[in-house]
Amino acid sequence: MAKSNLPSADPLNLTLDRTGRTNILEFARNCARSSFVTLQSFRNMLKIRDQVYQRQLNLTAKQLQAIQANMRGDPSYVADVTVPIVMPQVESAVAYQAGVFLSSTPIFGVVASADKEDMANQFELVLQQQAQRFGWSRELIKIFRNGFKYNFGPAVINWRRTPISKITNSQVADKVGLSQIQSDFFAGNQIKALDPYNCFMDTRVSPANIHTDGEFFGYNEMLSRIQLKRLIQELDPSKTQDLREAYESSYTGNTVGMSAYDYYLPIINKYLNVSHLAYYGTNWMNWAGLENGGNNDIAYRDHYLVTHFYCRACPSDFGGRGNIPQVYRAIIINWRYVVFVERVIAAHDYLPTVVMQPNEDGLAYQTQSMVDNSMPFQDMSSALWNISLEASRRRIYDRLVYNPNLINKKDIDPADPISRIPLKNAALFQGDIARAIYQIPYRDDGSQMGVQHAQLISQMADEAVGQNKVARGQFQKGNKTTAEFDRTMDGADSRQQLAAICIEHQFFTPVKDIVKANTLQNQGPMTVLDQEQKQEVNIDPVQLRNAILEFTITDGVLPTDKLLSTDVMQVFMQTAQAMPVLASQYDVMSMFLYWCKLKGATWVNQFKNNPDQQQQFISNMQQVNMASDPNAQAKMTQIAAQGQQAQQQPNPGAQQ
């Protein structure tokens, strides 16, 4: 084995060196400043995509007036309609990818050689428990949605140690048998979806390559006092400092929100104003009347801007020794105090921030997302539908020509089916009211054609993103046979499968590498319950690390069937039944049990006979065979001889 170039200890003691912390703070500020210009247009682009996705882009005065009238209960105003094209397509794509990657349990299956299958089961149980504790499926669905909405789905994968409590039995003399709460902790991989609006990154590299080639990646969170204290509680105390100064520091915020120094909260829903939530929280100390009292000697604030910063840098950049690039992690409060910093020592050598980019064509941030591809069709289809609505408005609010000297405008404006319109100077007309008012004839010849065109445009949008109505669960009539329909759907799913293959190698491969490396590096011994086998399993991290090179983590695109060709294995076992010579050379029974476990039948061990039962079964079978066939013993001897002869023959493949 080649000697590792990684140092055995941290070359820079960033925990205690205040100069190093000052340098890393300045380095993070420089990185934030370098992305200022790009971040402005990036956030504006994200906001437009969200407005299109939620159909909140029409903010004209006429539209808002009609919506406000409808919300007051006045249905006489007909608001414009935005045809839902973008959102159903995005959600269908998310549902497809969730079905591919998240439908199995656990999300990442583990396969190994036959002699290491039990350890593979241990690894699966560990990953399954981590996925349940930290909600991997929920976070990955949000990452999928961000990926298809923005073509930018950022995630961070960290080994997290969270405090928990467990119920145990009291051992106190007078309380034996009673329950008690005991503090404990749970450690595992957390996969967390990040808010794309509050990320700043090295834009010199493609989003999908940030974890391998990027120099830095950071993201901002707005936390309350309690949230910040819980975050600090999970960190290594030996690597934290300046907590008092951080707790007492203030963050006022910038209403412009276009800098990485700010927490940006977009206003998407025009019916709800949440802009104050970005910078203001509830002052619970003031609410409880303890602002100037109580036992707190720290002047806490209502909220804090917490920046998580990852970077690649040389120790000498921060005042240490060495010029080999390393990965560092820092937590900065209000862009003033670095309360936590550590060198990320891991086997994967990635920035633990991975970005999903389903549509990757080499243009990096300029690549259009699914929303961008469907946006023109949604706008055009909505315009044609609203032309039809204008015709409906015309039928309701017809055009009139009237004499203001004879009729008041306020008397004919209300669209009331029952109205009384006074006519001034009626004696002058002698019953001829047409001389006072005239209705202009209306012809509605082309509005229905606009609706038909809108439907055709919706079909064009499906073609643009590679979907159809059936893929979204809608029934569609046709005259195809079942085989023809299946071939058609295979073609309809080809674009989705192309995205799945890209996501597998671009996103899930590094995620699996990080999860595997973190688990083998940090996992401690523990006991978990195997819900399928209904028994406790002792996790031995030493055995897991010894078998690391033989593990292959699977998912929806790389299932167990593809990695181990279980179909071929099944054919081999069927052939062994017809050719006893194969059964004499290969352990077909163990092969069958291995195939069963790969297919998910991990419960087979529950029904395994003990040695006495196995010997009794063999004796019974021999007696039955001898009774039914007197030559059975001779046949068994002949099969054994054939097996020995086959083993003595040279292997042609070995000679070649």
Side-chain angles (χ1 to χ4, degrees):
M1 180 181 294
K3 185 177 180 180
S4 173
N5 292 326
L6 292 175
S8 58
D10 194 341
L12 174 62
N13 188 0
L14 294 176
T15 303
L16 301 176
D17 190 351
R18 188 172 298 275
T19 302
R21 288 174 177 262
T22 302
N23 292 337
I24 199 171
L25 176 61
E26 186 60 28
F27 180 79
R29 287 175 175 173
N30 291 335
C31 293
R33 283 192 292 266
S34 66
S35 60
F36 175 74
V37 177
T38 305
L39 198 60
Q40 295 184 53
S41 56
F42 182 68
R43 285 175 171 174
N44 286 331
M45 182 174 61
L46 297 179
K47 183 177 180 180
I48 292 175
R49 288 168 174 169
D50 269 323
Q51 289 175 326
V52 172
Y53 173 83
Q54 297 193 18
R55 304 193 305 279
Q56 299 285 337
L57 197 58
N58 189 350
L59 300 178
T60 60
K62 183 182 72 172
Q63 176 73 356
L64 295 178
Q65 181 182 5
I67 293 175
Q68 291 172 359
N70 295 155
M71 296 177 68
R72 291 194 302 266
D74 184 0
S76 60
Y77 287 84
V78 182
D80 290 339
V81 173
T82 301
V83 179
I85 293 179
V86 170
M87 186 272 291
Q89 291 179 341
V90 171
E91 292 304 308
S92 296
V94 173
Y96 182 90
Q97 302 302 332
V100 171
F101 293 100
L102 308 181
S103 59
S104 61
T105 303
I107 296 175
F108 298 148
V110 180
V111 297
S113 58
D115 59 328
K116 299 296 191 300
E117 186 62 23
D118 290 337
M119 282 179 283
N121 184 43
Q122 291 184 27
F123 206 102
E124 278 193 350
L125 291 175
V126 171
L127 296 184
Q128 183 176 354
Q129 195 174 45
Q130 295 176 9
Q132 293 175 350
R133 172 69 64 174
F134 295 115
W136 286 7
S137 295
R138 175 193 175 197
E139 296 297 320
L140 287 170
I141 288 175
K142 291 192 290 186
I143 296 169
F144 283 133
R145 186 171 287 112
N146 289 337
F148 285 102
K149 276 202 303 183
Y150 314 122
N151 204 39
F152 184 84
V156 61
I157 304 94
N158 277 326
W159 184 264
R160 183 181 176 186
R161 189 174 184 270
T162 61
I164 59 175
S165 299
K166 63 179 181 180
I167 302 176
T168 60
N169 295 320
S170 176
Q171 302 298 325
V172 182
D174 57 343
K175 297 182 180 180
V176 174
L178 299 179
S179 63
Q180 67 176 7
I181 303 298
Q182 182 178 354
S183 298
D184 202 350
F185 69 91
F186 178 85
N189 287 287
Q190 181 189 35
I191 300 177
K192 180 180 179 181
L194 302 180
D195 179 9
Y197 286 97
N198 287 287
C199 295
F200 60 97
M201 49 282 178
D202 187 355
T203 55
R204 296 169 296 182
V205 299
S206 174
N209 296 331
I210 286 179
H211 62 283
T212 56
D213 303 331
E215 186 173 326
F216 66 90
F217 188 100
Y219 63 95
N220 295 324
E221 292 181 319
M222 187 64 66
L223 301 184
S224 66
R225 174 177 64 97
I226 298 300
Q227 290 174 322
L228 178 58
K229 292 184 74 68
R230 294 184 65 182
L231 172 63
I232 299 298
Q233 184 183 3
E234 298 178 4
L235 301 177
D236 186 350
S238 64
K239 300 178 182 179
T240 58
Q241 67 177 29
D242 295 338
L243 294 181
R244 182 188 184 93
E245 293 81 356
Y247 284 134
E248 294 182 346
S249 64
S250 299
Y251 172 72
T252 57
N254 186 339
T255 56
V256 178
M258 289 301 177
S259 169
Y261 296 148
D262 302 316
Y263 181 78
Y264 183 75
L265 185 65
I267 306 302
I268 305 299
N269 192 331
K270 55 178 172 285
Y271 307 118
L272 180 64
N273 184 6
V274 294
S275 58
H276 67 287
L277 298 179
Y279 308 112
Y280 302 99
T282 302
N283 189 331
W284 294 107
M285 300 299 293
N286 188 23
W287 178 84
L290 301 175
E291 183 69 21
N292 297 319
N295 297 323
N296 286 327
D297 60 347
I298 299 178
Y300 291 104
R301 306 302 175 183
D302 297 335
H303 53 272
Y304 301 88
L305 181 68
V306 180
T307 303
H308 301 260
F309 182 70
Y310 298 88
C311 67
R312 279 192 178 88
C314 298
S316 58
D317 296 336
F318 305 136
R321 299 186 305 274
N323 292 311
I324 299 176
Q326 310 291 344
V327 177
Y328 293 94
R329 175 195 178 194
I331 296 179
I332 305 170
I333 307 299
N334 296 329
W335 284 103
R336 296 176 60 187
Y337 297 99
V338 179
V339 297
F340 176 82
V341 63
E342 67 175 354
R343 185 167 73 90
V344 180
I345 303 177
H348 49 74
D349 194 34
Y350 295 146
L351 290 180
T353 50
V354 186
V355 179
M356 179 186 295
Q357 192 180 13
N359 186 14
E360 188 176 10
D361 59 3
L363 294 178
Y365 293 89
Q366 299 184 73
T367 302
Q368 290 189 328
S369 68
M370 179 177 287
V371 173
D372 299 329
N373 290 330
S374 301
M375 187 190 309
F377 302 102
Q378 178 168 295
D379 293 340
M380 189 180 302
S381 182
S382 301
L384 292 173
W385 269 102
N386 290 321
I387 288 175
S388 177
L389 288 178
E390 286 294 339
S392 300
R393 293 191 185 100
R394 174 65 194 280
R395 285 193 295 269
I396 298 174
Y397 308 106
D398 53 354
R399 294 185 176 185
L400 299 175
V401 177
Y402 70 98
N403 189 338
N405 296 323
L406 304 175
I407 298 178
N408 291 327
K409 183 176 183 294
K410 65 179 181 179
D411 295 329
I412 60 176
D413 274 349
D416 196 336
I418 301 176
S419 61
R420 305 293 183 265
I421 302 175
L423 182 64
K424 296 183 292 184
N425 301 321
L428 300 177
F429 298 98
Q430 298 179 356
D432 188 6
I433 303 178
R435 297 172 57 187
I437 189 170
Y438 173 72
Q439 181 179 5
I440 301 176
Y442 173 64
R443 296 182 58 184
D444 184 13
D445 298 333
S447 62
Q448 294 301 321
M449 186 176 296
V451 173
Q452 296 175 1
H453 289 168
Q455 295 174 347
L456 293 175
I457 292 173
S458 299
Q459 296 177 7
M460 293 171 58
D462 288 340
E463 295 177 0
V465 298
Q467 293 183 1
N468 57 21
K469 293 182 179 180
V470 182
R472 293 197 295 271
Q474 302 177 13
F475 176 76
Q476 190 170 5
K477 293 182 179 180
N479 57 357
K480 293 181 174 63
T481 64
T482 302
E484 292 174 342
F485 180 79
D486 291 340
R487 286 195 296 269
T488 302
M489 287 306 300
D490 289 340
D493 290 340
S494 60
R495 298 273 292 277
Q496 305 276 34
Q497 295 172 4
L498 182 64
I501 294 174
C502 180
I503 291 172
E504 157 64 23
H505 295 281
Q506 166 205 94
F507 179 80
F508 276 103
T509 295
V511 168
K512 289 185 292 185
D513 288 342
I514 295 173
V515 167
K516 183 170 63 175
N518 287 348
T519 302
L520 294 170
Q521 179 178 345
N522 302 299
Q523 180 65 49
M526 60 185 301
T527 301
V528 298
L529 177 64
D530 189 340
Q531 298 180 1
E532 294 183 353
Q533 297 188 13
K534 305 297 186 299
Q535 65 181 10
E536 293 183 351
V537 177
N538 295 321
I539 306 300
D540 188 349
V542 176
Q543 292 184 0
L544 295 181
R545 284 190 284 269
N546 291 337
I548 175 61
L549 297 178
E550 301 173 30
F551 283 137
T552 303
I553 297 182
T554 67
D555 53 33
V557 175
L558 290 176
T560 305
D561 294 347
K562 292 184 178 180
L563 292 175
L564 289 180
S565 301
T566 55
D567 292 338
V568 177
M569 186 183 296
Q570 186 176 5
V571 173
F572 183 89
M573 290 185 294
Q574 293 174 352
T575 305
Q577 295 178 356
M579 300 178 61
V581 177
L582 289 177
S584 65
Q585 297 187 54
Y586 297 94
D587 188 355
V588 181
M589 179 60 69
S590 298
M591 187 181 301
F592 175 73
L593 293 175
Y594 183 50
W595 176 81
C596 290
K597 290 183 179 181
L598 292 178
K599 285 297 186 179
T602 56
W603 39 261
V604 294
N605 292 333
Q606 300 181 51
F607 305 97
K608 187 176 181 180
N609 291 329
N610 57 44
D612 294 338
Q613 291 173 328
Q614 294 176 16
Q615 186 62 38
Q616 182 65 33
F617 177 80
I618 294 174
S619 300
N620 293 338
M621 289 297 297
Q622 289 177 348
Q623 293 176 6
V624 172
N625 292 335
M626 293 296 293
S628 60
D629 187 0
N631 299 323
Q633 185 66 33
K635 292 181 179 179
M636 295 296 296
T637 305
Q638 182 181 2
I639 292 174
Q642 292 176 354
Q644 294 177 359
Q645 182 179 2
Q647 291 179 356
Q648 294 174 359
Q649 291 179 356
N651 187 355
Q655 293 178 357
Q656 294 176 359

